[in-house]
């Protein structure tokens, strides 16, 4: 695979430090599964953070703290799940899935298992359930040769291609490529002819107004 | 190493408060939802303090971690605890003013270190980075209520490293030393931005507001910092 469009330093630092909200993190982690280049950059950032961590001003600890820890160890207490990335039992599959982890778990399966909802004009989507409400994530299927439907967004948008490809102006985005756009970017992605394009799209969640009047005005004011 | 002291206890509190204060008022105080915190009352009484260990080389730390993983050696673990415990607690204290919460999270991290030491790969490893990533993951889980999606190296759809990117990674202990030296040479302004990013939960835009810098300056300084580190590692090849 030849990935041309990579993660920005900002997104990678956010991933490495843990500041990214769930939706962004999902797109970044899924890109990382496909992109050794960005993983090498991530490793460098984590190592740099590890160095900073070595030189942090230490805070004194009570002697009883270690006794308590020893007691917990003797009691055979297991940690909570916070381990670094570790090889687990390899999953045996006949052919590798198209959708990598962690996205596959969020969707509940690979391409063949998905239940698409029509958006009209041959486009489909699947909303992805996130615990975090500040971002919205969904899988999009854009018909070959057609533009991405209902495309207006106020904030940041991440688009990660999983199958097929799309053009945005001069730029081609294929499997593994990630496009980062903000409100200032006017763009019109068009799926490449020949194959439907499947991608993960994450945006800032639309503002939710408690007043029905404001909700009614939302489409008019485009907020 | 061990000292009786009321004075040191107060000193510790001041350090924690000072650290919390540098985090700034815009960082909300969030109480992590940890079951064990229910029992906080037990630890209110302050006793004798462990003085943080000052020096531990990466080679030493790697050997200690191996001894813990291989033999379950509690003495090696205590040496690691004396060095890393106070650092993990300092890292945790940057997001909370409550020293009891920082202490609890530190305990969780060190229990994880004990349990997972067997999985540490000393040959390509940096002990500090390994412990830091455990602390970071635990901190994300404690302070953010949502899930923490991550890639899975054993997923059949995962694209493994090609040789070229493997070369770029921190592949051996020499690289660890090279990176340490390169970090020392970074300008203070770049170190400050990395610290705010990695320890104080600040996004680029939050840093820009906090330091009253244009967002573009923040971005370019961070980009420069990593470019320098990358160059330093490649020079050694």
């Amino acid at each position: 695979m030849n990935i041309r469009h990579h993660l920005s330093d900002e997104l990678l630092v956010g991933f490495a430090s843990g500041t990214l909200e769930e939706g962004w993190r999902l797109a970044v982690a899924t890109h990382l599964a496909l992109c050794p280049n960005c993983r090498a950059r991530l490793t460098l950032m984590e190592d740099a953070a590890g160095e900073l961590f070595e030189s942090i001003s230490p805070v004194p600890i009570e002697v009883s703290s270690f006794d308590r820890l020893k007691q917990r160890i003797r009691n055979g207490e297991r940690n909570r799940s916070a381990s670094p990335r570790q090889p687990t039992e390899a999953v045996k599959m006949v052919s590798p899935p198209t959708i990598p982890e962690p996205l596959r778990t969020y969707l509940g399966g690979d391409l063949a298992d998905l239940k698409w909802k029509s958006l009209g004009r041959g486009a489909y989507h699947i909303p992805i359930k996130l615990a975090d409400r500040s971002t919205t994530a969904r899988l999009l299927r854009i018909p070959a040769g057609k533009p991405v439907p209902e495309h207006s967004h106020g904030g940041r948008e991440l688009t990660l291609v999983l199958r097929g490809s799309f053009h945005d102006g001069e730029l081609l985005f294929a499997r593994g490529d990630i496009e980062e756009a903000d409100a200032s970017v006017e763009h019109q992605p068009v799926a490449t002819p020949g194959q439907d394009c499947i991608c993960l799209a994450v945006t800032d969640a639309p503002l939710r107004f408690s007043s029905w009047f404001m909700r009614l005005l939302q489409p008019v004011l485009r907020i | 190493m061990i000292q009786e002291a009321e004075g040191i206890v107060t000193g510790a509190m001041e350090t924690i408060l000072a650290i919390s204060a540098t985090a700034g008022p815009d960082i909300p105080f969030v109480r992590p939802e940890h079951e064990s915190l229910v029992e906080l009352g037990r630890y209110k009484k302050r006793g004798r303090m462990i003085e943080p260990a000052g020096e531990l080389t990466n080679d030493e730390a790697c050997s200690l971690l191996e001894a813990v993983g291989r033999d379950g050696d509690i003495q090696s673990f205590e040496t690691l605890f004396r060095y890393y415990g106070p650092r993990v607690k300092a890292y945790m204290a940057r997001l909370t003013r409550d020293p009891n919460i920082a202490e609890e999270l530190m305990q969780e991290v060190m229990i994880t270190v004990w349990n997972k030491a067997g999985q540490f790969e000393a040959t390509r490893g940096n002990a500090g980075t390994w412990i830091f990533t455990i602390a970071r993951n635990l901190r994300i889980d404690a302070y953010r209520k949502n899930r923490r999606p991550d890639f899975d190296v054993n997923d059949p759809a995962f694209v493994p490293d090609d040789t070229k990117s493997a070369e770029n990674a921190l592949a051996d202990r020499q690289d660890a030393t090279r990176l340490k030296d390169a970090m020392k040479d970074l300008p203070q302004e770049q170190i400050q931005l990395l610290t705010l990013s990695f320890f104080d939960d600040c996004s680029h835009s939050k840093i820009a507001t906090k330091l009253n810098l244009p967002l573009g300056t923040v971005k370019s300084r961070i980009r420069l910092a990593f470019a320098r580190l990358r160059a330093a590692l490649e020079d050694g090849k």
Side-chain angles (χ1 to χ4, degrees):
Chain A
M1 194 180 336
N2 214 343
I3 294 177
R4 270 158 295 199
H5 301 280
H6 297 279
L7 296 166
S8 63
D9 276 348
E10 183 171 10
L11 281 172
L12 265 180
V13 170
F15 185 85
S17 62
T19 52
L20 283 186
E21 301 299 344
E22 190 182 6
W24 311 123
R25 199 178 159 91
L26 176 62
V28 170
T30 307
H31 172 83
L32 284 168
L34 298 173
C35 185
N37 178 294
C38 285
R39 284 203 305 275
R41 291 167 62 213
L42 174 70
T43 304
L44 176 69
M45 289 179 182
E46 289 181 335
D47 284 326
E51 276 308 320
L52 283 180
F53 170 67
E54 295 269 358
S55 55
I56 201 169
S57 307
V59 171
I61 283 181
E62 285 174 54
V63 169
S64 62
S65 175
F66 190 67
D67 296 337
R68 215 152 56 79
L69 199 55
K70 266 197 299 198
Q71 194 54 49
R72 291 173 70 173
I73 288 168
R74 273 197 212 98
N75 294 345
E77 192 176 319
R78 303 302 297 183
N79 60 293
R80 295 185 175 79
S81 59
S83 56
R85 284 165 217 112
Q86 288 299 341
T88 49
E89 295 278 315
V91 188
K92 287 199 182 72
M93 294 203 185
V94 187
S95 62
T98 304
I99 300 176
E101 294 292 6
L103 180 58
R104 200 166 69 247
T105 298
Y106 271 81
L107 290 166
D110 199 31
L111 284 185
D113 313 310
L114 300 179
K115 293 197 172 59
W116 294 94
K117 293 176 181 165
S118 176
L119 285 169
R121 294 167 183 252
Y124 293 83
H125 80 152
I126 299 172
I128 296 168
K129 213 172 168 241
L130 302 174
D132 170 56
R133 294 301 177 92
S134 68
T135 47
T136 303
R138 60 185 174 161
L139 203 64
L140 278 174
R141 196 172 100 203
I142 309 142
K146 293 287 187 320
V148 175
E150 50 159 272
H151 204 78
S152 65
H153 55 87
R156 177 155 66 163
E157 182 184 48
L158 288 182
T159 311
L160 172 68
V161 180
L162 296 160
R163 205 190 70 181
S165 60
F166 68 79
H167 273 92
D168 196 353
E170 299 281 291
L171 302 173
L172 175 70
F173 293 81
R175 177 167 166 84
D177 283 327
I178 192 158
E179 182 178 46
E180 192 176 347
D182 61 32
S184 66
V185 177
E186 260 186 52
H187 66 148
Q188 184 53 280
V190 180
T192 311
Q195 190 180 29
D196 287 0
C197 178
I198 294 177
C199 50
L200 168 68
V202 181
T203 55
D204 289 305
L207 293 169
R208 273 169 213 280
F209 290 99
S210 48
S211 134
W212 63 268
F213 183 68
M214 282 307 286
R215 279 204 303 274
L216 210 65
L217 279 178
Q218 239 177 323
V220 183
L221 299 171
R222 296 188 178 201
I223 49 178
Chain B
M1 292 293 269
I2 297 167
Q3 299 188 12
E4 298 273 0
E6 279 295 316
I8 290 181
V9 175
T10 343
M13 287 299 293
E14 277 164 10
T15 313
I16 291 165
L17 291 176
I19 287 168
S20 313
T22 58
D26 53 328
I27 292 174
F29 167 69
V30 198
R31 183 177 289 271
E33 290 187 324
H34 261 250
E35 309 148 44
S36 43
L37 291 182
V38 178
E39 298 176 293
L40 275 180
R42 281 203 284 147
Y43 317 123
K44 283 273 162 61
K45 203 165 139 262
R46 303 251 141 201
R48 295 185 305 161
M49 306 303 285
I50 295 176
E51 204 172 273
E55 278 297 324
L56 192 69
T57 65
N58 185 41
D59 282 352
E60 287 165 347
C62 287
S63 309
L64 291 166
L65 266 178
E66 280 178 306
V68 173
R70 197 180 49 232
D71 313 318
D73 180 25
I74 193 88
Q75 261 163 0
S76 299
F77 184 59
E78 183 164 5
T79 311
L80 284 170
F81 178 86
R82 280 175 181 278
Y83 182 79
Y84 284 111
R87 285 167 173 77
V88 172
K89 190 169 172 180
Y91 169 69
M92 294 304 181
R94 293 188 80 108
L95 289 196
T96 173
R97 285 164 204 277
D98 187 337
N100 292 318
I101 291 174
E103 165 74 23
E104 257 331 288
L105 291 171
M106 182 275 289
Q107 287 253 333
E108 291 295 326
V109 172
M110 294 314 289
I111 284 270
T112 309
V113 169
W114 171 264
N115 287 327
K116 303 272 177 184
Q119 296 170 6
F120 174 69
E121 288 179 69
T123 44
R124 64 176 309 267
N126 186 323
T129 301
W130 191 73
I131 293 174
F132 168 74
T133 53
I134 291 175
R136 174 204 59 191
N137 289 354
L138 220 136
R139 196 171 89 165
I140 301 173
D141 293 346
Y143 286 84
R144 292 183 179 261
K145 293 203 174 65
N146 47 52
R147 288 197 271 173
R148 177 169 50 80
D150 207 340
F151 56 87
D152 174 1
V153 295
N154 285 310
D155 174 20
F158 179 84
V159 177
D161 290 354
D162 51 39
T163 27
K164 187 165 154 280
S165 39
E167 271 171 26
N168 289 334
L170 192 64
D172 54 40
R173 300 222 192 140
Q174 271 185 331
D175 276 1
T177 315
R178 222 172 276 133
L179 181 70
K180 197 184 281 289
D181 293 341
M183 291 286 288
K184 285 195 192 112
D185 291 341
L186 283 188
Q188 198 47 44
E189 57 181 33
Q190 289 173 17
I191 290 284
Q192 183 193 25
L193 295 196
L194 295 188
T195 307
L196 284 167
S197 299
F198 288 120
F199 295 164
D200 295 333
D201 224 7
C202 288
S203 63
H204 282 26
S205 52
K206 209 162 167 185
I207 294 174
T209 314
K210 189 193 266 293
L211 301 181
N212 203 15
L213 288 170
L215 183 58
T217 307
V218 173
K219 284 185 185 187
S220 64
R221 278 185 193 170
I222 288 178
R223 194 171 53 237
L224 272 175
F226 288 119
R228 285 178 79 142
L229 296 180
R230 215 168 289 137
L233 287 183
E234 275 157 19
D235 280 352
K237 299 288 174 198

